[in-house]
Amino acid sequence: MANEEDCRTALIRVAERLGDVDPDKLAEHVVERTISCRIPDLGVAYLSRIHAGGLDEFESTPDPRAAQVRLTVNSDDLVALANDELNPAKAWASGRLKIEASIFDLLRLRKLL
């Protein structure tokens, strides 16, 4: 099982990758939203904000349910996603990645994955 530091590093890697997306594409598909990532096997959760400029740094949060887009993923799967060892669509389809969001937000996220 990955530890909390591994997960923080994985979230930083995800944010950096989002920063590498073409700015025009990012602006076209992203509206400002709060995003939480809950890691149940470690009992931790993080909160960030996505916007046309990318993804802000993830901060620890006691209430991940308050976010507009909520991700739930176990620590090992989060690290695998960040390292491109696990496809996000396959992880979602198999239940390893859970995403709670409006249908419109889901469609926008799909275009960025």
Side-chain angles (χ1 to χ4, degrees):
M1 175 170 60
N3 62 35
E4 192 170 344
E5 186 60 34
D6 295 333
C7 291
R8 282 186 156 283
T9 301
L11 291 171
I12 290 168
R13 190 172 300 123
V14 169
E16 288 171 349
R17 269 209 317 250
L18 193 57
D20 292 340
V21 172
D22 176 62
D24 292 332
K25 182 178 179 181
L26 196 62
E28 179 183 345
H29 297 294
V30 171
V31 293
E32 187 170 319
R33 294 285 186 261
T34 54
I35 296 180
S36 67
C37 181
R38 188 172 69 86
I39 307 164
D41 60 325
L42 296 180
V44 297
Y46 298 95
L47 184 69
S48 182
R49 183 179 63 93
I50 191 169
H51 47 84
L55 192 62
D56 290 346
E57 184 176 333
F58 279 90
E59 302 286 335
S60 185
T61 182
D63 186 16
R65 305 279 316 154
Q68 294 162 307
V69 177
R70 296 170 302 281
L71 309 174
T72 302
V73 62
N74 282 325
S75 58
D76 288 337
D77 290 334
L78 175 60
V79 171
L81 285 164
N83 292 332
D84 284 330
E85 297 165 356
L86 179 61
N87 178 290
K90 288 182 180 180
W92 174 77
S94 66
R96 293 168 69 179
L97 170 64
K98 294 182 176 94
I99 305 173
E100 298 173 77
S102 74
I103 188 69
F104 298 111
D105 288 338
L106 287 172
L107 292 172
R108 284 186 198 105
L109 282 173
R110 188 180 122 254
K111 292 180 182 188
L112 290 174
L113 295 177

